[in-house]
Amino acid sequence: MAAIDGQAGQDVIDALAGIAPDFATYLFEFPFGDIYSRPGLSLRDREIATIAALAAMGTAQPQLKVHVTAGLNVGLTQAEITEILMQMAVYAGFPAALNGLFAAKEVFAERAAATAQDGA
């Protein structure tokens, strides 16, 4: 989980500890223990599918931001993520694509700011 989601994944689990610790366990064990560990797709390919699915839902902006970051962490470029989100206009509609693009824009800006701060 740390290699894919970075600190964001742990933050979600920690946030659930006080209200639904069992759900936090399920959130970790099923996706990462059962699904992400399966053979057949690379982590990069899994993040492409996840970004597309979350964008198409149109109701999962916080989760989409986590997975845009995860996509960058596993080797997707900003240009590739932008293309994935633009593709959603065809299948999920322009509002879903726009929401996805704006979520990605926020992640890209946050990441650029963090990189600039680390370099300063």
Coordinates of all heavy atoms in Angstrom, one line a residue, residues 22 81 84:
D22 N -12.7 -2.1 11.8 CA -12.9 -3.3 11.0 C -12.9 -3.0 9.5 O -12.4 -3.7 8.7 CB -14.1 -4.1 11.4 CG -14.0 -4.8 12.7 OD1 -12.8 -5.0 13.2 OD2 -15.0 -5.2 13.3
I81 N -2.1 10.5 -17.4 CA -3.3 10.6 -16.5 C -4.3 11.5 -17.1 O -5.5 11.3 -17.1 CB -2.9 11.0 -15.1 CG1 -2.1 9.9 -14.4 CG2 -4.1 11.4 -14.2 CD1 -1.4 10.2 -13.1
I84 N -6.1 9.7 -19.8 CA -7.1 8.7 -19.2 C -8.4 9.5 -18.9 O -9.5 9.1 -19.2 CB -6.5 8.1 -18.0 CG1 -5.4 7.1 -18.4 CG2 -7.6 7.3 -17.2 CD1 -4.5 6.7 -17.2

